[in-house]
Amino acid sequence: MSEYVTYLTFFVLAAFLGYSVITKIPATLHTPLMSGSNAITGITLVGAVVVAGSGETTIATVLGFLAVVMATVNVVGGYLVSHYMLSDFHGGGE
Amino acid sequence: MVELLGDTGLSLVYLVAAILFIQGLRDMTHPRTAVRGNLTSAAGMFVAVAATVIAFEILDPAILLAGLVVGGAIGTVLAVKVQMTEMPQLVGFFNGMGGGASALVAGAEVVQLGSANGGAIPAEVGVAAAASGIIGAVTFTGSLVAAGKLHGLVTGSAIRYTGEHVVKAALLAIAVASGLYMIVQPDVLAGVLQGSAVPSFWLLLVAASVLGVTLVISIGGADMPVVIALLNAYSGLAAAGTGFVLGNSALIIAGTLVGAAGMILTVIMCESMNRSLTNVLFGGFGEAGTSDDEVDEIYEGNITETSPTEVEMLLDTASRVVIVPGYGMAVAQAQHAVAELSELLAENDVDVEFGIHPVAGRMPGHMNVLLAEADVPYDRMTELEEVNPTFAQTDVVFVIGANDVVNPLANTDDSSPIAGMPVLNVAEAGTVVVNKRSLSPGFSGIPNPLFAEDNCLMLFGDGQEMAQEVVGEYKESH
């Protein structure tokens, strides 16, 4: 159970950190931030890899495979569209 | 099962990935560093996934590889082919993929544990799996419906029916009860029903999936910016939940960061409409409606039409112009023509800016992305609070495809559905030119008295055609 307290600590600290990092974002970057942070959700891919990899039952392997596909769509697509959008922004002081 | 990379090694790599995500998000809060931020974040993802693949003895690398290739191909094709106007639905779709993947991973882990322990699942894993399953499934179907609405596959108007809240509550109750049953598995029934822990997870997934559909289908298109932001937060929380299931710090930290980002954007969107989240999720927008008589009374005899030629003459004598874009500009794909117009004006020493309302469009910051694609410089896009005080010194405001965000009723009529919503006070300018196809109301379903103001001219027609004609006229006379 104690490891879950540790995980809870990670969770709470990450929530505060995320809040302080992101609050000052200008409206212009809301969409790229959203698709970029959305791509980070694809971190669940790591979980999918673990589950699909350790697949001891067929059904877990099938679910793991589907999860890998969906998470990869999320990761690859998310980072790519964010990149396209961000490279369109000019005059940001460069 | 851990071989090449020890437990400690893997945890350290996850720490590196978490740092890269945080730094990436930090960089993404300024246009100058945003591209680098996105790449930093992507590098974090690569490190985390690569380390996981290496660290775990993969049962069947072929299956994993196939999944990565198929998913990567789908993601790439969609990202490359997307039009900027279709960006909201694509982001919504990707969001759904992330949520769905989290729910499936939780399910796979429940199946694994269930088969390994004869149906018994540790309580803390059960709680996390149930949370991840419910949130993930709601995110999955909710995002698909939102994307469908934005893409015009599902009606953009809110589908309301009597007892809808009862239906939603019942679905949530079924999902939660299934989750509880999976966790508690009363001893009395042990041996008989313990094995059904796994089926109860499927019931949970089905109920949550239907719940996601019912939640979003009853929300209108105008509220999609809020819904998309909220679902983004959900997908992060689902990933964090999966992290609890698997005992994986990388998932918890990254998922929570996304959850925080999504919640912040949700709050910003709600404030921009002066509405509470509950109101967006469970209340209607524009349900009130206005009778035709009332509309006629406001507009009858008070509408002044104008032409591209006349608009060009107005612009010719202006020294400060503000362009206010709305969703209509996106639909008409008029952003390039509008950008060209602003460039021409700037070349002739006109002070020209874009006044952008936070909820204009279908996704937070949607207008900014469209204008950036059309090469409008970042510093020419101005937010509501900055641009509002300048309207009194503005000669011409060109409203293109925006409606509710320039409706003065928000300030003057307490009973209006948009009462209290911060709007762009365009009527303070010398002349307002409004481009719309007709006098039809916006998403709020209410008429706009601005159109009947003395200093307001209506330029009826397709946004792209009208903007191009104004550009043509302007070029001719210069």
Side-chain angles (χ1 to χ4, degrees):
Chain A
M1 197 70 200
S2 76
E3 62 186 301
Y4 282 88
V5 177
T6 313
Y7 296 148
L8 200 61
T9 313
F10 286 163
F11 178 76
V12 173
L13 291 181
F16 275 99
L17 186 64
Y19 181 80
S20 59
V21 166
I22 296 151
T23 30
K24 291 197 180 84
I25 183 175
T28 295
L29 291 174
H30 281 168
T31 296
L33 172 83
M34 179 170 286
S35 69
S37 73
N38 189 10
I40 296 179
T41 327
I43 186 71
T44 203
L45 176 60
V46 165
V49 167
V50 173
V51 175
S54 66
E56 283 145 24
T57 56
T58 315
I59 184 152
T61 308
V62 171
L63 293 177
F65 172 75
L66 285 176
V68 169
V69 172
M70 288 166 79
T72 313
V73 170
N74 190 201
V75 169
V76 175
Y79 280 119
L80 273 180
V81 291
S82 305
H83 187 76
Y84 291 148
M85 281 191 275
L86 290 169
S87 44
D88 277 334
F89 282 95
H90 306 289
E94 267 174 300
Chain B
M1 75 199 248
V2 177
E3 284 186 344
L4 287 172
L5 209 59
D7 263 343
T8 318
L10 191 61
S11 296
L12 286 175
V13 174
Y14 285 158
L15 176 63
V16 171
I19 293 168
L20 290 172
F21 287 141
I22 293 162
Q23 185 55 40
L25 282 177
R26 265 173 62 103
D27 283 348
M28 238 190 273
T29 54
H30 195 284
R32 197 177 55 239
T33 54
V35 172
R36 186 181 75 202
N38 192 50
L39 293 174
T40 308
S41 165
M45 182 64 72
F46 181 80
V47 168
V49 174
T52 311
V53 172
I54 293 168
F56 287 87
E57 187 182 310
I58 305 301
L59 189 75
D60 196 342
I63 293 179
L64 175 67
L65 196 66
L68 290 172
V69 169
V70 171
I74 297 173
T76 308
V77 168
L78 289 173
V80 170
K81 291 210 161 167
V82 69
Q83 297 285 316
M84 280 295 165
T85 34
E86 296 164 348
M87 199 56 85
Q89 49 266 49
L90 187 66
V91 172
F93 176 76
F94 287 156
N95 210 11
M97 290 292 113
S102 293
L104 289 182
V105 175
E109 188 65 8
V110 168
V111 171
Q112 293 274 50
L113 288 173
S115 71
N117 308 338
I121 292 163
E124 56 270 31
V125 174
V127 173
S132 180
I134 293 174
I135 302 170
V138 166
T139 309
F140 176 61
T141 56
S143 295
L144 292 189
V145 173
K149 273 180 183 270
L150 294 167
H151 205 65
L153 299 172
V154 180
T155 172
S157 51
I159 296 178
R160 325 287 311 218
Y161 46 93
T162 33
E164 58 171 315
H165 297 318
V166 180
V167 172
K168 290 171 198 168
L171 286 166
L172 181 64
I174 294 171
V176 172
S178 309
L180 282 178
Y181 179 72
M182 182 179 83
I183 298 157
V184 180
Q185 298 175 69
D187 284 343
V188 201
L189 300 173
V192 186
L193 285 175
Q194 243 184 5
S196 58
V198 172
S200 75
F201 187 80
W202 303 136
L203 182 60
L204 172 150
L205 278 194
V206 171
S209 300
V210 181
L211 177 64
V213 174
T214 55
L215 278 177
V216 178
I217 203 125
S218 60
I219 302 173
D223 285 331
M224 279 307 128
V226 186
V227 174
I228 296 269
L230 186 68
L231 289 170
N232 194 40
Y234 282 175
S235 71
L237 291 178
T242 309
F244 279 94
V245 177
L246 299 173
N248 187 312
S249 60
L251 263 72
I252 297 172
I253 296 171
T256 312
L257 287 174
V258 179
M263 281 322 295
I264 292 167
L265 288 180
T266 307
V267 170
I268 293 175
M269 292 298 115
C270 282
E271 279 172 2
S272 309
M273 297 195 295
N274 189 38
R275 297 172 68 209
S276 70
L277 189 55
T278 340
N279 191 247
V280 170
L281 293 181
F282 301 108
F285 196 25
E287 276 177 300
T290 316
S291 71
D292 288 347
D293 291 348
E294 261 179 278
V295 176
D296 283 345
E297 199 180 313
I298 294 172
Y299 292 149
E300 191 83 75
N302 295 322
I303 298 295
T304 320
E305 269 197 63
T306 185
S307 65
T309 319
E310 208 181 343
V311 174
E312 191 278 325
M313 289 191 292
L314 276 169
L315 293 173
D316 216 14
T317 55
S319 58
R320 179 176 160 78
V321 174
V322 174
I323 301 173
V324 175
Y327 186 63
M329 181 193 79
V331 173
Q333 299 265 24
Q335 67 271 28
H336 293 282
V338 174
E340 193 182 355
L341 180 64
S342 79
E343 203 48 46
L344 288 170
L345 290 168
E347 277 169 23
N348 285 293
D349 292 327
V350 177
D351 174 19
V352 57
E353 275 184 343
F354 285 84
I356 303 174
H357 193 280
V359 292
R362 290 295 174 273
M363 181 167 60
H366 188 195
M367 289 300 122
N368 307 72
V369 174
L370 283 177
L371 294 173
E373 189 220 0
D375 287 332
V376 171
Y378 163 70
D379 51 17
R380 207 175 280 167
M381 304 179 201
T382 316
E383 292 179 32
L384 178 130
E385 303 87 57
E386 285 173 73
V387 81
N388 252 347
T390 70
F391 281 122
Q393 291 88 48
T394 302
D395 303 298
V396 180
V397 175
F398 187 23
V399 179
I400 176 159
N403 189 343
D404 293 327
V405 297
V406 292
N407 194 331
L409 281 180
N411 295 329
T412 55
D413 182 1
D414 286 343
S415 64
S416 158
I418 59 168
M421 168 169 134
V423 288
L424 293 154
N425 301 321
V426 293
E428 290 171 10
T431 311
V432 185
V433 176
V434 179
N435 167 243
K436 256 175 86 67
R437 277 178 303 187
S438 66
L439 281 174
S440 63
F443 269 107
S444 65
I446 52 171
N448 191 337
L450 168 74
F451 304 159
E453 294 273 343
D454 291 340
N455 64 340
C456 182
L457 305 173
M458 299 301 294
L459 180 64
F460 290 114
D462 175 75
Q464 193 182 15
E465 278 172 34
M466 289 302 122
Q468 278 170 348
E469 281 186 39
V470 173
V471 167
E473 298 274 351
Y474 197 85
K475 277 183 178 164
E476 257 178 52
S477 67
H478 282 83

